[in-house]
Amino acid sequence: MNYLLQTPEQQQTMLQKIGVPSIETLLEQIPAELRLDRPLELPPALGELELDGELRQAAARTVGASSRVCFLGGGAYEHFIPAAVDELSGRGEFYTAYTPYQAEASQGTLQAFYEFQTLICQLTGMEVANASLYEGGTAVTEAAFMAMRVTGRTGPVIIPGGVHPQYQTVCRTYLESQDLSVVQTSLREGVTDLAALRSAITPATSCVVIQQPNALGMVEDIDAIREVVHASGALLVVVCDPISLGILKRPGDQGADIVVAEGQSLGIPLQFGGPYLGLLACRNDYVRKMPGRLIGKTQDRNGKSCYVLNLQTREQHIRRDKATSNICTNQGLMALRATIYLSLLGPHGLAELAELCCRRAHYLAQELARRTDVKVLSPKGFFKEFVIRHPQGGEFLKQKARAAGFDIGPTLEEFGDLPGVDPALRKEGVLVAVTECRTPEDLDGLVNALSN
Amino acid sequence: MNNTIATRLIFEQSQPGRRSVSWPAAPLADVSLQDMLPASSLAASPPPLPEVGEPDVVRHFVNLSTQNMSVDSHFYPLGSCTMKYNPKRHERWAKLPGIIDVHPSQRDEDLQGLLGILYELQEMLAEIAGLPCVSLQPAAGAQGELTALLVAKAYFRSRGEERTAVLFPANAHGTNPASAAAAGLTCRQLAGGPDGLLDLEELQRAVNAQTAVFMITNPSTLGLFEPRIAEAARIVHAAGGLVYIDGANMNAIMGITRPGDFGGDMMHYNVHKTFTGPHGAGGPGAGPIAVRDFLGPFLPGPVVVREEQNGEIVYRRHTPASSIGRVRTFFGNVGILLRGYFYLRTLGARGVRDAAEQAVLNANYLKSSLADVLPARYGRYCLHEFVASAQQILQQRGLSAMDIAKRLLDHGFHAPTVYFPLVVPEALMIEPTETESLATLDAFVDALRKIILEEDPAVVKSAPQTTPVCRPDEVRAARQPMMCWTCPPAESIVK
C-alpha cells in the first residue's frame, strides 16, 4: 500500500508519451555504481488493519497520563483540551496545506495566524508576535540572539538559575558554538538573587532571561529585576507560562522587552515532548530584528483587506546567511491550536482556569504540609507547581507516589543544573504540578499516598 | 457561498459576557489570591482576549479553512515541498493513548512501546540513508542542518582542527547558508556549471584546509541527480572536509540510492515532506539527521538505544559520549516522527521504492507534456521535480511566471513554486508527487496550455478572479506593518 493511483497500463501510457521504454531510463542520471543493489531492509509492509493492531499493542506497552494520575511538570503539563480544538485543527484544509506563500490560496491560514499573533500580544502585553518558533528552549535561544542584534552587545547572556535547566542547556548549545557564552546566576530562597544578578551584569550584557513563574514554580519580582536590568541598558527577556497570565501581570505591562514561552499549555497534547509551540513577542521597535515568519495585514488589488507573509527580507529564503534566523518550517498547526484554544477560553475562561490551577495547587501544598511528613519548599508564592522535599530524597517521594498510581516529578536531580539550589534540597526535592485536570479526589489521593 | 459574517476577525465578533468554557469550582474559596501570590504580581484584570461562544469559534474556523487550498482538496504541485497525500490512518494512530498522552518526564520503563517504535524509526532512517547513526531531535529540516553543522564542528574540534568554511551551490535552499551562519561558520557559494550541475574544478579550487562542510541538495533543487557526486565527495574528503546532504528531495531516490553510498557523511530528512508529515500550514515538521559512525558520539541527546537485560529487550534514552548537548527542551517532534514511522511501516521496502519511481514518472510526464510551452532548460530527464521557465512566454505574450501561477488558482490548481531557484529565469518549479492520478496530471497540463495560449493575456494578468482576494499588496504590508489587530500603522518603523 503506497497510495499510488496509476495502473500498470497508465504507467505504460505515460512512458510512451515521454518516449522511454521504462522508468529505468528516467533514472539514467544516477550512476549504476551508486545504486543500491538490493531492496532496503525495512519491516514488511502492513495494511491498515494489521498495523492498527500492532500499534495498539505498542501503545498499550506505554503508560500515558490517561492511565495514571499525572502531577508531572517541569515545562510540559497535562491541561484539558476542549474538543473543538481537535475538531477544527483536524480539518484537512488546515493541516494538509503548506506555508502560506501563495496568499490567494491561503487566506484561511494567514488570517488564523494574524489572529494568533494578536492573541499572543493580548496575552503577553506586547506589540508584535511572530507566527511561532519550535518550542520553549529554542525560543529562549532565539530571544538571546535577537537581543544581541538589538543592543549590538555580544557579552555573556545572563540566565539566573530560575530558568528551566533544559532551556539553559539548549541556549548554551547554540551560543557556545558561536563562541558566545551564558552566565548563570544563582537563586536565593527559590527566586532570583538580585545581588548576584546585579554583579553579573556588565556593559556588554545584551539581555537577562527571567522565567515567570520560575522553574521551581515560584513567582519572581519582575519589577525589581527590570530595574536592575534596564539600568545597564540590557534587554529583559521574560519566559512566561501562558496559563498563568490569566491572573499574573502581563510581562509587557511590567516592562519586558522580549517575551517568550512554551505554548504547549494552550491546547497542545503532551505527545512525549513535541510538537510543541515556541512563542516570541516584542516591542514594535524590534520587529525587523525578529526571527521567524510574520503575517501582515494589507489590501489586495481591489482594495479588499487581506493578509500576507510580511517582512520576508528578514528570512532565510531571501536573506540567506544574513537572515535573522535559519528557521523555515515552524509550528503552524500548533499555533492554530493555540488560536482556537485562546478564542474558546476568552479573558474570563483563562482567568478562572489560572485561578483554579493555583488554588488546587495551594490546596495540595497545604494538605501535604498538614497531613504528611513531606515539607513544602515555600507555603506561598507559587502558581501551579511547587517543590516538596523529604530527608529520604526526591526519588523516595516519587517512588512512593508512583506505587499508588501517581506520577510526580521531575526530581530536582533529574531536572538539571539549578545554580543556587543547595545540595541537600537538590537531593531531597521533587516538583509537583497541578492543573485543572487534577480533581479533588486526585489531590487527596496523592496526600494519602504520601502520608503513610 | 462565502460567509463573510463568520470570517470577520474573531476580535470583531467579541461580545462582552459571551463564553465557551466553564470550570469546576476551586478550593480554598475563603482564601484570597493575595494570600497565595505576591500582590504586586497579580493583574488587575485578565488579558483582553475576545469573548466568543463555541458556535462562533466553530463557524469562524470552518469558514476560514475553506479559504485554503490543501492537499486534501487540491493538486498542490509546489516544487521542493513534496505535497503528497497525508494518510488519514496516521491521524488516528497519532492520537492513541500511550502515544498522545505521554509526558516527556516519564520513566523509560513506562515507555517501552513508544521507545521501541522510536528505536525502530532510527533504524529505518539509518537504512534509507546508508548512514548508521540517527538523531530524531531536530524539529525541522533547518534545525537538522544546524544540528549537523554543530556535530561537524565538534568533530573537528575533537581532532584539534579549526575548520570554519561551508561551501554550497548557488541553487541551495536558503536554509543552508542561514544554518551555516547560525553555526558560526562562513559561507562560500559555488556558481556551478552551465548544465546546472556541480563544476568539479570550481569545487577543487574552493576546498582547502578551512573547509568544514560541503552542503549539497541531491537530487538538486533543479530536480537533477548530480552524476559526479561521488567524485565531489572525494574532493571534499581529500581536503579533510565533510559532505552534508540536504535530504529535502529524498522522495526521488529512497530505495534507489543512498546518501551514505554516494559520499554523504551527514544528512537530514524532512519527515513532513518525504514521509507524509503533514505540513500543517507551515509546520510542525521533523528534521531527523543521520550521520556516519565516527560522528555518532557527537549527536545531540537523547537517542534511543536497545539493550538486552536478563534476556529481555529494553529500550532507553541515552546521551552520546561527546554530545554537542541538547538542541531542544524535550524529545523531538514525536507526533510528526510517528507519522513517518506509520508511513514506512505501511509501505515497506518495495512500497518506498515504488513511490519514488512513480514520483519520477509523474514529474517526467509533466515535463515532457509541457516541453513545447514551458521548457525545462536543465536535464534530459528529471527526477521528482523540474524547473520550467516562462521566460519565452514573458517575451512573447507578456505573461510572467507569477501571472501563470495566479491563473492556475482559477483553474483549481495550487501554483508551483515560483522564482526559485534563482538560476532559472521566470522559474516554475513543479513537483507533482507520486499520489496524483493521470487524469489530474492531464488536467493540469490542459490548464497550463490554456493559460499560456489565452486569447486575451489581460485575463491572465488579472488573475486570480475566483479566490477570496487578488494579488495582495506586499509592498504596502512591509511599508506600513500591521501585524496585530490593535496595532495602528507604525510609521516609526518604516525603514
Side-chain angles (χ1 to χ4, degrees), chain B residues 27-301:
Chain B
L28 305 179
D30 52 337
V31 182
S32 154
L33 271 185
Q34 303 205 355
D35 291 328
M36 300 179 190
L37 291 162
S40 62
S41 70
L42 293 171
S45 58
L49 302 172
E51 296 181 63
V52 287
E54 185 172 321
D56 294 327
V57 173
V58 170
R59 195 163 285 169
H60 178 66
F61 287 102
V62 168
N63 274 282
L64 282 188
S65 78
T66 64
Q67 304 203 349
N68 273 356
M69 278 186 169
S70 66
V71 174
D72 272 3
S73 57
H74 294 85
F75 180 42
Y76 214 121
L78 200 61
S80 207
C81 303
T82 314
M83 300 299 286
K84 64 168 77 174
Y85 173 66
N86 303 138
K88 294 298 169 193
R89 62 190 74 173
H90 297 182
E91 300 307 306
R92 175 186 282 179
W93 290 330
K95 292 184 184 77
L96 286 176
I99 287 179
I100 192 130
D101 60 347
V102 177
H103 190 285
S105 297
Q106 280 181 233
R107 299 253 158 126
D108 290 347
E109 62 199 86
D110 284 345
L111 306 175
Q112 288 303 299
L114 181 55
L115 290 177
I117 286 175
L118 293 170
Y119 177 81
E120 210 179 324
L121 177 62
Q122 287 176 182
E123 295 288 291
M124 293 194 286
L125 295 179
E127 166 69 1
I128 296 168
L131 295 166
C133 303
V134 171
S135 168
L136 300 176
Q137 297 302 315
Q143 204 189 16
E145 294 169 13
L146 176 52
T147 302
L149 291 172
L150 298 185
V151 165
K153 259 180 107 162
Y155 164 72
F156 288 125
R157 272 186 193 168
S158 77
R159 294 163 57 92
E161 296 178 55
E162 274 301 321
R163 292 174 174 264
T164 53
V166 171
L167 308 175
F168 51 85
N171 60 13
H173 294 112
T175 50
N176 292 181
S179 298
L185 298 164
T186 60
C187 298
R188 177 159 172 194
Q189 186 168 305
L190 304 175
D195 50 1
L197 299 169
L198 283 173
D199 176 347
L200 292 189
E201 284 170 23
E202 182 191 26
L203 177 64
Q204 183 70 64
R205 285 194 302 274
V207 295
N208 56 37
Q210 291 301 303
T211 304
V213 178
F214 173 51
M215 299 180 87
I216 180 162
T217 308
N218 191 33
S220 73
T221 55
L222 291 166
L224 304 177
F225 192 87
E226 293 284 353
R228 286 160 299 172
I229 184 71
E231 217 176 320
R234 276 193 288 276
I235 291 171
V236 175
H237 289 151
L242 296 172
V243 175
Y244 183 84
I245 306 296
D246 178 329
N249 297 335
M250 281 301 286
N251 206 47
I253 59 169
M254 49 186 186
I256 299 170
T257 178
R258 309 191 300 173
D261 296 344
F262 58 69
D265 301 300
M266 319 183 277
M267 70 162 294
H268 78 259
Y269 289 96
N270 299 84
V271 175
H272 45 297
K273 294 180 183 177
T274 313
F275 304 133
T276 74
H279 281 84
I289 58 172
V291 301
R292 285 203 192 283
D293 49 5
F294 63 86
L295 297 169
F298 303 96
L299 285 175

Side-chain angles (χ1 to χ4, degrees), chain B residues 460-479:
Chain B
V460 180
K461 297 196 83 60
S462 64
Q465 286 142 7
T466 57
T467 49
V469 300
C470 175
R471 305 217 189 187
D473 186 345
E474 293 186 7
V475 174
R476 178 194 174 101
R479 291 235 170 104

Side-chain angles (χ1 to χ4, degrees), chain B residues 238-424:
Chain B
L242 296 172
V243 175
Y244 183 84
I245 306 296
D246 178 329
N249 297 335
M250 281 301 286
N251 206 47
I253 59 169
M254 49 186 186
I256 299 170
T257 178
R258 309 191 300 173
D261 296 344
F262 58 69
D265 301 300
M266 319 183 277
M267 70 162 294
H268 78 259
Y269 289 96
N270 299 84
V271 175
H272 45 297
K273 294 180 183 177
T274 313
F275 304 133
T276 74
H279 281 84
I289 58 172
V291 301
R292 285 203 192 283
D293 49 5
F294 63 86
L295 297 169
F298 303 96
L299 285 175
V303 295
V304 181
V305 293
R306 182 180 191 264
E307 288 168 351
E308 245 187 87
Q309 286 175 10
N310 309 323
E312 213 179 312
I313 302 296
V314 173
Y315 300 97
R316 66 179 178 85
R317 284 169 280 184
H318 167 73
T319 299
S322 309
S323 175
I324 56 166
R326 290 188 92 98
V327 295
R328 54 180 286 127
T329 312
F330 300 116
F331 193 108
N333 273 355
V334 177
I336 304 302
L337 291 165
L338 288 175
R339 286 166 172 87
Y341 174 83
F342 304 151
Y343 181 70
L344 290 171
R345 290 300 312 275
T346 302
L347 264 64
R350 184 70 241 174
V352 163
R353 188 176 170 130
D354 285 347
E357 290 187 352
Q358 189 63 53
V360 171
L361 179 57
N362 284 1
N364 277 285
Y365 181 76
L366 286 184
K367 180 175 185 280
S368 104
S369 303
L370 292 165
D372 56 330
V373 283
L374 285 172
R377 184 168 143 203
Y378 299 109
R380 182 157 57 151
Y381 306 118
C382 64
L383 287 184
H384 64 299
E385 68 187 0
F386 62 99
V387 183
S389 174
Q391 195 175 28
Q392 205 184 314
I393 312 286
L394 182 63
Q395 284 158 359
Q396 291 168 359
R397 313 213 62 216
L399 297 177
S400 67
M402 187 61 85
D403 293 329
I404 296 169
K406 297 294 185 194
R407 186 59 177 161
L408 270 171
L409 306 179
D410 285 331
H411 285 266
F413 297 103
H414 195 278
T417 298
V418 288
Y419 302 108
F420 180 81
L422 301 172
V423 293
V424 175

Side-chain angles (χ1 to χ4, degrees), chain A residues 293-437:
Chain A
R293 291 185 193 128
L294 287 164
I295 312 304
K297 188 176 179 184
T298 186
Q299 289 182 355
D300 80 348
R301 204 179 244 183
N302 306 314
K304 191 174 171 192
S305 281
C306 60
Y307 306 91
V308 289
L309 288 170
N310 204 11
L311 304 181
Q312 294 186 66
T313 51
R314 298 166 300 109
E315 292 188 69
Q316 49 76 29
H317 60 284
I318 305 216
R319 193 57 66 86
R320 298 172 82 86
D321 58 320
K322 301 290 189 298
T324 55
S325 166
N326 71 329
I327 193 169
C328 178
T329 290
N330 62 10
Q331 301 289 111
L333 193 66
M334 302 301 115
L336 177 68
R337 293 183 72 95
T339 306
I340 298 163
Y341 180 87
L342 285 171
S343 301
L344 288 168
L345 261 69
H348 305 295
L350 183 69
E352 288 162 17
L353 172 63
E355 190 166 338
L356 177 59
C357 293
C358 184
R359 286 181 177 276
R360 283 189 169 171
H362 280 257
Y363 170 83
L364 176 63
Q366 282 183 21
E367 293 300 301
L368 285 170
R370 196 168 66 83
R371 291 175 45 204
T372 73
D373 61 351
V374 164
K375 277 213 178 92
V376 176
L377 182 65
S378 170
K380 53 201 275 185
F382 58 88
F383 169 57
K384 71 178 181 195
E385 191 167 18
F386 55 95
V387 176
I388 57 175
R389 63 189 294 181
H390 192 279
Q392 284 180 267
E395 184 60 30
F396 165 79
L397 288 177
K398 192 170 166 169
Q399 290 300 342
K400 202 167 171 185
R402 182 182 159 80
F406 300 91
D407 280 334
I408 60 172
T411 66
L412 297 191
E413 276 186 323
E414 290 170 328
F415 201 21
D417 191 19
L418 290 161
V421 168
D422 71 68
L425 175 59
R426 194 174 149 67
K427 200 169 157 299
E428 294 174 8
V430 57
L431 281 164
V432 178
V434 183
T435 69
E436 72 283 6
C437 293

